[in-house]
Amino acid sequence: MEMAISFNSSSSFSFSIPNPNSRTVYSSSTPLSKQLFGLSLSSSSTPPSFSTAKTALKLRSGNSISRKPIQCSVSQATETATEKKSQLKRRRDIRNIAIVAHVDHGKTTLVDAMLKQAKVFRDNQFVQERIMDSNDIERERGITILSKNTSIAFKDTKINIIDTPGHSDFGGEVERILNMVEGILLVVDSVEGPMPQTRFVLKKALEFGHAVVVVVNKIDRPSARPDFVINSTFELFIELNATDEQCDFQAIYASGIKGQAGLSPENLAEDLGPLFEAIIRCIPGPRIEDGALQMLVTNIEYDEHKGRIAIGRLHAGVLQKGMDVRVCTSEDSCRFARVSELFVYEKFSRAPASTVEAGDICAVCGIDDIQIGETIADKSSGKPLPAIKVEEPTVKMSFSINTSPFVGREGKYVTSRNLRDRLYRELERNLAMKVEDGETADTFIVSGRGTLHITILIENMRREGYEFMVGPPKVINKKVNDKVLEPFEIATVEVPEEHMGAVVELLGKRRGQMFDMQGVGSEGTTLLKYKIPTRGLLGLRNAILTASRGTAILNTIFDSYGPWAGDISTRDQGSLVAFEDGTSTSYALSSSQDRGQMFIGPGVDVYKGQIVGIHQRPGDLSLNVCKKKAATNIRSNKEQTVILDTPLDYSLDDCIEYIQEDELVEVTPSSIRMCKNPKLAKKSR
């Protein structure tokens, strides 16, 4: 294979291309910016910075690109460095990988193609799109929420694949899963390049010392710019203090939807062969420690027949069906249990196994009280592994029992005991979430990584038959040296140029500070990057969509805690509130809609204090939406024709974004309503 790098700048460079069968050995004095993909760069003058130089990377090869072996310095360097220290063995017949990326960069679609080409399914078998997204909410929203395991076989090697979520709100899933793998496929969109969540997952993977294969996905897009994406990714590695070996990553160009991959964007193979070979070559096999049994539980599933199923990677020893084990949380607290059933992942399902050796990922049944982060160890001499650590939550919401007049009409579980049990049960699987008792016995404070993180929990509970109320999201502040610190996030907004002014104005009002602006692709889209308080992001998604006529794309990720940014006004308009209990009528709504936009149509049951619309001015306004036309004995020639505007249809996410401090969202299995909080009732106009 031949590589060429050209810098369009005034400086001239000379290159020395190493023998493909030998690795370039870097001295510690060689600057990192002069080392790229195994090439040694030398120049007579100081080279320009990587960000200013217009860099073009070209990977050229012959016709048989998928079959030509290529040296991958990542695996060799990582192996020699670590194995010299700890003299650990490696299994050559297994690879454990996680597929990580920003949301919508094509992880799940790429896994689909990998499963199909590994002949996991019959040729005539119907396979739905994005098969790894098996959850109902995942299918409806088109996102991955829970990480899931599968495996494929390629040339006598078993590849355990873990598909992970892309949203930053579910970053706890990704952090937990990185304990199970030795390497990651970092999927990057060929137009967008590295995005906020790309940075987060790569940072975590580099901290673990994992090998990284970069997959530039969606290479078939018309405005694809693979050179820019590779350069941006390389810069990101340097920013995150990656080692020289980690920066020397293997780049694969792929189209997940077409099921093609290659070592250059112009020359893709007919299948994903180059990607599979890069996984085998660049990602090392699992390290095996000699000694007693040790397995860290990183995930938990529940089966109606088998009960709790613990999933994790076997770090040392051998696990057998029917074996007596010790379950440890720390050195002091251990208990004994027996493994009733044992499974490994084969193709798209769990297959029973009698014995599992170290290095493989397996599922264990029979331990009813097993928790994530505990260690399944040898009965006599077992020791616990280090516990899993995830980052702290940044947003909290209050959950309370339903106190509206319609309580119990639609839900099955309505008491505080039901609510409490369900919320604390969620903590068993959701490590990034926290639940605390509130000020009263029927109130609970739920903390998570973001509003989406908590909204998914609310949606799941609603479908399970729970009825409750939730308050507006609030940020979790810290106090350091008597100074209040609040969480700040990095927000990236992709917006067409014609709507950029409105979006910039909106983010400025919410205390956002722009630190980068650049054009993206050939579609006339601008990428804006802001550092903004998390408070300013609450309710921002709908406002940005309105300002940009539905064309803007907003992505956020937690950055750090910073000084309090000051007061932020999130909503300029008040609410229209129902004046009395009853059923809404066309006659009353025809006059009410002049006051603002309505949430309800005629014939809907309402109660006093329910929010029925958005007021067109600041401040709340009470309305009688149940008023009927007075029946008189005077005959009219014609009944008055009433023309009503279409009511706004707000989803659960929209309602949570809309409400303010003195308002609540009433959640039931079949309805989502908003109301004024009777405990904080303000004087309405």
Side-chain angles (χ1 to χ4, degrees):
M1 189 191 76
E2 176 185 306
M3 276 191 186
I5 300 178
S6 63
F7 286 89
N8 296 331
S9 67
S10 57
S11 305
S12 61
F13 292 86
S14 62
F15 305 85
S16 63
I17 301 176
N19 184 339
N21 296 320
S22 65
R23 288 193 58 248
T24 307
V25 180
Y26 302 123
S27 65
S28 58
S29 61
T30 310
L32 184 60
S33 60
K34 295 187 181 183
Q35 301 166 6
L36 182 63
F37 308 125
L39 298 182
S40 180
L41 280 66
S42 63
S43 69
S44 55
S45 59
T46 307
S49 67
F50 206 92
S51 57
T52 56
K54 295 178 182 175
T55 313
L57 287 114
K58 296 176 184 175
L59 289 162
R60 296 196 293 273
S61 64
N63 295 329
S64 58
I65 57 170
S66 61
R67 305 290 170 252
K68 189 176 178 181
I70 298 164
Q71 292 292 333
C72 184
S73 61
V74 177
S75 59
Q76 297 172 359
T78 315
E79 263 181 76
T80 50
T82 50
E83 289 186 3
K84 278 181 185 175
K85 291 179 187 175
S86 50
Q87 297 297 322
L88 298 176
K89 297 178 184 176
R90 285 193 184 276
R91 282 188 70 171
R92 302 292 175 189
D93 59 336
I94 286 182
R95 298 291 185 275
N96 298 322
I97 63 167
I99 299 190
V100 298
H102 187 77
V103 61
D104 285 340
H105 279 198
K107 298 179 297 299
T108 307
T109 308
L110 185 64
V111 174
D112 276 5
M114 293 171 78
L115 288 169
K116 286 173 185 172
Q117 293 192 17
K119 300 295 181 188
V120 171
F121 311 109
R122 297 191 315 271
D123 291 337
N124 64 343
Q125 184 175 348
F126 171 74
V127 180
Q128 59 189 5
E129 198 178 329
R130 297 194 317 277
I131 191 167
M132 294 295 282
D133 288 346
S134 52
N135 189 313
D136 287 342
I137 299 179
E138 290 180 325
R139 297 214 141 274
E140 287 170 21
R141 293 175 178 249
I143 61 174
T144 304
I145 296 170
L146 304 171
S147 53
K148 298 173 202 69
N149 298 51
T150 186
S151 82
I152 59 174
F154 180 76
K155 290 185 179 177
D156 303 325
T157 303
K158 179 183 178 182
I159 304 175
N160 286 312
I161 301 172
I162 305 173
D163 186 24
T164 63
H167 281 83
S168 56
D169 289 42
F170 309 116
E173 289 277 318
V174 183
E175 289 178 77
R176 193 177 72 207
I177 288 310
L178 290 175
N179 282 282
M180 295 167 69
V181 299
E182 282 75 39
I184 64 166
L185 291 190
L186 183 71
V187 182
V188 188
D189 188 285
S190 65
V191 177
E192 295 178 354
M195 296 291 279
Q197 182 68 0
T198 315
R199 183 188 185 92
F200 173 79
V201 293
L202 180 59
K203 179 185 172 188
K204 294 295 175 187
L206 294 176
E207 285 174 3
F208 276 94
H210 291 334
V212 181
V213 174
V214 175
V215 181
V216 181
N217 198 22
K218 305 186 184 181
I219 199 69
D220 52 336
R221 286 181 66 174
S223 53
R225 41 181 192 166
D227 299 340
F228 165 81
V229 170
I230 287 290
N231 296 342
S232 304
T233 308
F234 181 72
E235 286 180 6
L236 183 60
F237 271 76
I238 294 173
E239 284 176 33
L240 296 174
N241 299 321
T243 63
D244 293 3
E245 289 82 9
Q246 286 171 328
C247 287
D248 191 11
F249 56 79
Q250 173 74 58
I252 298 288
Y253 302 89
S255 169
I257 200 156
K258 289 183 177 178
Q260 294 180 305
L263 297 169
S264 80
E266 301 87 15
N267 197 354
L268 299 183
E270 292 300 314
D271 56 14
L272 292 174
L275 176 61
F276 290 134
E277 290 188 359
I279 292 171
I280 303 295
R281 189 176 61 247
C282 299
I283 293 176
R287 285 195 297 270
I288 301 171
E289 298 181 24
D290 292 329
L293 167 69
Q294 277 186 317
M295 172 183 155
L296 185 67
V297 178
T298 50
N299 209 349
I300 280 184
E301 291 182 7
Y302 185 80
D303 186 277
E304 290 182 2
H305 304 290
K306 298 181 176 65
R308 290 170 78 87
I309 302 173
I311 300 168
R313 196 191 86 192
L314 210 58
H315 286 260
V318 177
L319 191 59
Q320 295 176 335
K321 182 178 176 181
M323 188 177 183
D324 289 325
V325 294
R326 177 188 291 187
V327 181
C328 305
T329 50
S330 63
E331 291 286 358
D332 302 325
S333 57
C334 292
R335 60 191 186 280
F336 295 101
R338 172 171 287 187
V339 176
S340 63
E341 287 188 80
L342 200 55
F343 297 91
V344 292
Y345 288 89
E346 280 187 12
K347 297 186 177 180
F348 198 65
S349 58
R350 286 197 291 258
S354 56
T355 304
V356 177
E357 295 182 2
D360 207 351
I361 293 174
C362 63
V364 178
C365 304
I367 309 173
D368 295 333
D369 54 351
I370 191 78
Q371 301 285 348
I372 290 175
E374 293 184 332
T375 304
I376 297 175
D378 185 70
K379 185 179 179 183
S380 56
S381 59
K383 292 182 179 178
L385 289 161
I388 300 172
K389 293 180 181 177
V390 295
E391 293 195 2
E392 293 293 310
T394 56
V395 174
K396 61 183 179 182
M397 291 171 67
S398 65
F399 284 54
S400 59
I401 60 169
N402 191 359
T403 54
S404 81
F406 295 166
V407 61
R409 284 193 187 183
E410 299 164 359
K412 185 178 176 184
Y413 307 107
V414 296
T415 64
S416 60
R417 181 175 57 82
N418 296 141
L419 186 61
R420 180 191 178 88
D421 291 348
R422 176 64 182 84
L423 290 175
Y424 279 97
R425 197 162 69 242
E426 181 69 19
L427 298 183
E428 293 174 0
R429 196 188 185 287
N430 208 329
L431 284 192
M433 194 169 273
K434 290 186 177 179
V435 177
E436 301 164 347
D437 292 339
E439 295 175 358
T440 59
D442 54 9
T443 307
F444 306 94
I445 307 298
V446 178
S447 308
R449 285 281 186 87
T451 49
L452 181 64
H453 190 199
I454 304 176
T455 303
I456 295 296
L457 168 64
I458 295 170
E459 184 64 38
N460 276 322
M461 290 173 65
R462 185 170 88 88
R463 295 182 184 207
E464 291 166 15
Y466 287 84
E467 210 176 280
F468 53 97
M469 284 182 161
V470 293
K474 299 175 184 176
V475 299
I476 300 172
N477 297 322
K478 283 184 178 178
K479 210 165 186 181
V480 179
N481 298 331
D482 293 332
K483 289 183 180 178
V484 177
L485 302 181
E486 65 173 330
F488 280 77
E489 304 202 18
I490 300 296
T492 60
V493 186
E494 284 181 65
V495 62
E497 288 177 5
E498 60 265 28
H499 301 304
M500 194 171 74
V503 171
V504 168
E505 182 185 1
L506 183 65
L507 288 162
K509 284 181 181 176
R510 291 172 177 252
R511 306 279 180 176
Q513 294 181 338
M514 186 194 297
F515 64 87
D516 190 19
M517 180 172 71
Q518 61 190 43
V520 179
S522 57
E523 294 116 342
T525 304
T526 305
L527 183 71
L528 307 172
K529 291 189 180 180
Y530 276 83
K531 185 171 182 179
I532 185 170
T534 304
R535 281 183 304 134
L537 293 171
L538 303 178
L540 180 63
R541 205 170 294 272
N542 273 342
I544 274 196
L545 287 174
T546 305
S548 64
R549 305 289 188 272
T551 55
I553 300 171
L554 172 69
N555 289 298
T556 61
I557 190 158
F558 174 73
D559 180 52
S560 60
Y561 275 84
W564 180 262
D567 293 331
I568 295 174
S569 171
T570 55
R571 199 176 87 194
D572 299 328
Q573 297 163 308
S575 299
L576 299 176
V577 184
F579 185 70
E580 63 180 4
D581 299 0
T583 305
S584 60
T585 63
S586 302
Y587 176 72
L589 290 175
S590 64
S591 57
S592 299
Q593 67 187 15
D594 296 334
R595 302 287 190 174
Q597 294 174 289
M598 306 302 294
F599 289 139
I600 61 169
V604 176
D605 290 339
V606 297
Y607 55 84
K608 184 178 179 181
Q610 182 179 336
I611 297 172
V612 294
I614 303 174
H615 193 202
Q616 59 193 7
R617 294 189 178 88
D620 297 336
L621 179 67
S622 293
L623 291 175
N624 188 353
V625 291
C626 307
K627 183 170 60 178
K628 295 179 182 175
K629 188 176 181 181
T632 64
N633 58 356
I634 301 173
R635 244 189 264 171
S636 60
N637 293 330
K638 183 186 173 189
E639 192 66 36
Q640 184 183 356
T641 304
V642 176
I643 300 174
L644 296 178
D645 296 335
T646 305
L648 293 172
D649 185 17
Y650 267 23
S651 66
L652 175 61
D653 303 67
D654 297 331
C655 291
I656 287 172
E657 279 199 356
Y658 175 80
I659 58 172
Q660 287 193 318
E661 192 70 33
D662 63 331
E663 296 167 348
L664 298 169
V665 178
E666 178 191 352
V667 181
T668 71
S670 53
S671 306
I672 297 168
R673 308 181 191 93
M674 291 179 283
C675 65
K676 303 303 286 185
N677 189 343
K679 297 175 184 175
L680 301 173
K682 292 182 179 178
K683 292 181 181 178
S684 57
R685 291 173 56 192

